[in-house]
Amino acid sequence: MAVVHVSAHPLVRHKVARLRAADTKPPEFRDLVAAISRVLFLEATADLPLRPVPVRTPLADTTGEEIAARVGLVPVLRAGLGMADAMLQALPEASVWHLGLYRDHATLKPVTYYNKLPAQPDMDVALVLDPMLATGGSAVAAIDILKKAGIARVVFVGLIAAPEGIAALVAAHPDVPLYLAVRDEKLNDIGYILPGLGDAGDRQFGTR
Ligand code: URA
């Protein structure tokens, strides 16, 4: 059964309120996405393996630790970009694989229009980044792509999730843990999350 982790961190709750507010302008919105993403990244990577590394301090030789896993960040375009930037600052050694998906109006199925996965992705863990888990279609498709490419360990990180999206993702990929800032009430008739925050891409990039 999938682990669905909703952050209890007060900083996340504090910042989600400003993230939702309709009067929050793109510069502040991007800062909030980054700040919340950094906390979620720490929570989602708390079990990464470590290996010993020799360190010489100004006073003595000692042993430190370094992360022993290769981490891939997979932002779903375009709304996942702000999350990836924040996480890359925290772990600059991570690789970033951009995935572009849109929903075909006729079939309602996700279509991949951009895929920057390496031919042989040699990563130990991939984090799929999409701020809004609405129907779950894009997240499920992104994880399908990663698993087909041979990534054994995939984690989903999102800011706001609808129960419908969580259920779809857990049903399709029960082995994938979810790290979320908040679980919302429901989807509206056109697939937006309520109360949500509107369109996460538009709000980050000032488009509408
Ligand atoms: N994508 C968004 O940006 N917002 C939603 O509410 C749902 C999907």
Side-chain angles (χ1 to χ4, degrees):
M1 187 56 192
V3 174
V4 181
H5 181 278
V6 179
S7 183
H9 202 294
L11 198 67
V12 169
R13 297 188 183 199
H14 175 82
K15 290 191 183 283
V16 163
R18 281 302 303 154
L19 191 74
R20 290 188 190 280
D23 64 354
T24 300
K25 301 278 184 296
E28 184 189 354
F29 191 91
R30 289 192 294 270
D31 286 348
L32 291 163
V33 168
I36 297 166
S37 298
R38 275 192 285 272
V39 178
L40 295 182
F41 186 55
L42 297 183
E43 293 179 344
T45 56
D47 60 352
L48 284 182
L50 293 165
R51 64 179 160 237
V53 60
V55 180
R56 174 165 295 175
T57 79
L59 301 176
D61 288 338
T62 185
T63 304
E65 289 171 311
E66 64 181 12
I67 290 174
R70 293 158 302 178
V71 177
L73 302 173
V74 187
V76 177
L77 298 178
R78 69 189 157 132
L81 288 172
M83 298 178 71
D85 287 349
M87 294 181 188
L88 200 53
Q89 275 183 18
L91 185 65
E93 299 83 3
S95 301
V96 182
W97 307 331
H98 298 92
L99 265 188
L101 301 164
Y102 70 89
R103 190 148 51 139
D104 184 275
H105 287 304
T107 64
L108 298 184
K109 295 254 183 316
V111 178
T112 309
Y113 67 87
Y114 191 78
N115 178 343
K116 258 301 179 189
L117 254 69
Q120 313 244 286
D122 52 354
M123 288 294 136
D124 300 306
V125 57
L127 275 63
V128 174
L129 313 175
D130 196 347
M132 307 303 278
L133 180 61
T135 62
S138 301
V140 169
I143 296 166
D144 285 341
I145 290 170
L146 291 169
K147 285 188 174 174
K148 273 192 198 123
I151 310 290
R153 194 165 159 227
V154 182
V155 175
F156 177 85
V157 188
L159 302 188
I160 300 188
E164 296 90 331
I166 296 174
L169 190 42
V170 167
H173 294 294
D175 57 314
V176 171
L178 281 72
Y179 286 84
L180 306 168
V182 63
R183 184 197 318 248
D184 262 7
E185 284 165 28
K186 59 180 179 181
L187 292 179
N188 72 8
D189 296 343
I190 53 167
Y192 276 81
I193 300 175
L194 292 176
L197 51 71
D199 186 297
D202 284 347
R203 297 207 55 194
Q204 278 178 82
F205 302 116
T207 48
R208 207 165 344 145

